[in-house]
Amino acid sequence: VRTLVRQLRGRSLKDVPLQRESGERVLALGRQLQNTQLYGMAEEVLAMADVTEGKPLLAIERLERAREYFAQLDLSRDELRVARSQVSLRLDLGSDRASLSPLLRRMMAIEEIVGTSERTQAAADFEERLRYAQSEAQVAQLQAERDLADERERRRIEAERFSTFRR
């Protein structure tokens, strides 16, 4: 995590050596752990260093590798973020429609996946909040019924006391 924070700091300061160092550290960690997600993150970090350094073609290659790593793992949001960076760079380079078309189609497919996932999660969250609200309402109803029963019992006792007193 610290490495990624350093990379972000390096990017905001346009510090290419810091960006490269951070990317290489993430890549080394990915190799050590044999972690595909870290490979993708490292490629993305190094691609951003390439962008900062004015090497868009190398950045596009690295972003493609990062996107492929994220796609292997079904990390749709990460893949989408990288695909957007790719499209942006390719547009800056004046790429033609034919070369952008597959990437744009993939982006649209990923956006649909992410959107569906977000809607499903939102629906599940709503259902959970609704169940919680219903249970709270049931608890409140049971409490009111208990209070009413307590009040009836209190009045019954008072009535018995009063009737015993009157005799």
Side-chain angles (χ1 to χ4, degrees), residues 46-97:
L46 292 169
M48 294 304 105
D50 292 334
V51 169
T52 303
E53 208 168 37
K55 299 178 181 176
L57 293 176
L58 185 55
I60 289 171
E61 289 175 26
R62 287 188 191 275
L63 288 170
E64 181 58 25
R65 285 193 298 269
R67 194 184 64 73
E68 288 171 359
Y69 285 131
F70 294 142
Q72 285 175 19
L73 297 172
D74 260 348
L75 298 173
S76 300
R77 286 181 177 83
D78 292 326
E79 185 183 357
L80 183 58
R81 181 186 62 249
V82 171
R84 286 179 177 143
S85 295
Q86 279 183 288
V87 167
S88 178
L89 283 172
R90 287 177 178 217
L91 286 172
D92 289 347
L93 292 175
S95 293
D96 63 347
R97 181 179 176 177

Side-chain angles (χ1 to χ4, degrees), residues 3-4 6-27 40-63 65-66 85 89:
T3 300
L4 295 175
R6 287 181 56 151
Q7 186 276 330
L8 291 172
R9 188 177 308 130
R11 183 147 191 237
S12 67
L13 299 173
K14 300 207 183 294
D15 185 345
V16 175
L18 179 59
Q19 287 177 293
R20 291 222 181 276
E21 176 191 340
S22 299
E24 292 299 332
R25 284 178 138 185
V26 173
L27 191 57
M41 293 168 71
E43 290 291 350
E44 185 179 4
V45 168
L46 292 169
M48 294 304 105
D50 292 334
V51 169
T52 303
E53 208 168 37
K55 299 178 181 176
L57 293 176
L58 185 55
I60 289 171
E61 289 175 26
R62 287 188 191 275
L63 288 170
R65 285 193 298 269
S85 295
L89 283 172

